[in-house]
Amino acid sequence: MSNLLNIGIITQARMTSTRLPGKVLLFLGSKPILQYHLDRLQQSNLPIFIATTTNHSDDPLVGFAQAHQIPFYRGDEQNVLSRYYECAKQNNLDVIVRVTSDCPLIDGNLIAAAVQEYLQTPDKQLYLSNCLVRTYPRGFDFEIFSFALLEEAYLKANITSDLEHVTPYINQNKSGQVHFSHFTQPEDKSQYRITLDTPEDFALIRILIQQYKAHQLSANEIIALLDAHPELVRINAAVEQKKV
């Protein structure tokens, strides 16, 4: 695959999350969660796009994007797959990195390394992620795939869960043509949770950022911090991840 490809990160965001409404614009110190997320993604040196909805409830997200000069696309709340497709098409992306905005400590350098690994294979059918074979904590999640795979999913996916969650049509290989690569680390740290979906998650992320400056640390340094402080891990250990 050529390095001349147009590669971009699309992060999905909305204000109507059920367990912690408005979570991505909750403030920690002087800036909202979404700003931490975007600051971390910028370490990848890739362009970033926000995919949000046409709902009036998401007007504040659009206002944030406009104020910070971040390109955005507004689409259907339930059909997130169409949002990604239209956003990627509008911005002429050849390769998409999919992330979600409730990951304020996501590591842009990790994404950059994964993109370089993805580009080693000249294969439009390739799907690379750290989500299917999970060794990283939840909150560092990313998926990398071609516009060709995204377009096929957009044209052929027709069940609700495929439309709501963007990539099941791809990562469940419903076309039978997808080739998989798994971005992993030697030691399994998937038991840790640093994504934001509940008040317990917010309590942990607040401590990590305010007391330990985790927003300035690498993924490996954050993992080492959690290894050293089991009392922090216990804060949100009982939270169950929503099922896809």
Side-chain angles (χ1 to χ4, degrees), residues 17-21 23 102 193 195-202 205 239-242:
S17 48
T18 52
R19 295 202 282 189
L20 192 61
K23 61 186 179 182
D102 52 5
R193 176 184 173 84
T195 187
L196 178 61
D197 198 38
T198 70
E200 294 87 351
D201 295 333
F202 188 59
I205 289 166
V239 173
E240 287 192 25
Q241 182 67 17
K242 282 185 173 179

Side-chain angles (χ1 to χ4, degrees), residues 94-105:
D94 301 304
V95 176
I96 295 94
V97 182
R98 178 188 176 231
V99 299
T100 58
S101 60
D102 52 5
C103 298
L105 294 175

Side-chain angles (χ1 to χ4, degrees), residues 231-243:
E231 74 281 4
L232 297 181
V233 177
R234 284 194 290 272
I235 292 172
N236 68 345
V239 173
E240 287 192 25
Q241 182 67 17
K242 282 185 173 179
K243 299 290 187 285

Side-chain angles (χ1 to χ4, degrees), residues 6-238:
N6 192 10
I7 306 165
I9 299 172
I10 300 179
T11 183
Q12 64 194 70
R14 64 189 177 98
M15 294 293 285
T16 53
S17 48
T18 52
R19 295 202 282 189
L20 192 61
K23 61 186 179 182
V24 297
L25 290 185
L26 290 175
F27 267 74
L28 264 182
S30 61
K31 60 186 182 181
I33 287 291
L34 184 58
Q35 186 66 62
Y36 288 99
H37 172 72
L38 296 169
D39 288 348
R40 300 278 290 181
L41 289 177
Q42 284 169 353
Q43 296 169 353
S44 70
N45 292 315
L46 293 170
I48 303 163
F49 308 90
I50 295 175
T52 190
T53 85
T54 54
N55 296 352
H56 289 308
S57 57
D58 288 321
D59 290 349
L61 286 171
V62 170
F64 176 95
Q66 290 171 328
H68 293 82
Q69 298 182 304
I70 300 160
F72 63 90
Y73 176 82
R74 302 189 82 166
D76 187 271
E77 179 180 20
Q78 302 304 324
N79 192 340
V80 194
L81 173 55
S82 73
R83 257 194 274 159
Y84 266 78
Y85 173 75
E86 295 294 349
C87 182
K89 187 178 179 182
Q90 180 175 288
N91 293 287
N92 299 308
L93 297 183
D94 301 304
V95 176
I96 295 94
V97 182
R98 178 188 176 231
V99 299
T100 58
S101 60
D102 52 5
C103 298
L105 294 175
I106 196 167
D107 190 334
N109 290 305
L110 208 61
I111 290 172
V115 166
Q116 287 308 306
E117 186 173 307
Y118 176 89
L119 292 173
Q120 298 307 306
T121 307
D123 184 0
K124 288 186 177 181
Q125 299 302 116
L126 182 63
Y127 165 95
L128 183 150
S129 83
N130 64 350
C131 308
L132 296 187
V133 177
R134 188 177 286 280
T135 59
Y136 285 94
R138 195 174 291 276
F140 293 148
D141 298 15
F142 56 80
E143 302 170 278
I144 306 172
F145 45 87
S146 67
F147 181 78
L149 279 180
L150 179 62
E151 185 167 52
E152 181 177 30
Y154 170 75
L155 293 173
K156 295 184 178 178
N158 54 23
I159 64 173
T160 301
S161 60
D162 289 352
L163 304 180
E164 287 180 346
H165 300 287
V166 185
T167 51
Y169 185 91
I170 300 171
N171 65 32
Q172 294 174 18
N173 199 12
K174 295 185 180 182
S175 70
Q177 303 298 315
V178 181
H179 304 144
F180 292 92
S181 183
H182 306 292
F183 193 86
T184 60
Q185 58 179 357
E187 203 170 345
D188 182 5
K189 298 296 180 180
S190 60
Q191 72 273 25
Y192 295 151
R193 176 184 173 84
I194 50 172
T195 187
L196 178 61
D197 198 38
T198 70
E200 294 87 351
D201 295 333
F202 188 59
L204 173 60
I205 289 166
R206 180 195 288 121
I207 292 170
L208 288 174
I209 288 175
Q210 292 186 338
Q211 294 186 24
Y212 295 95
K213 303 289 188 284
H215 57 297
Q216 299 172 11
L217 303 178
S218 69
N220 286 338
E221 289 170 329
I222 293 171
I223 290 168
L225 180 61
L226 294 172
D227 284 342
H229 292 278
E231 74 281 4
L232 297 181
V233 177
R234 284 194 290 272
I235 292 172
N236 68 345

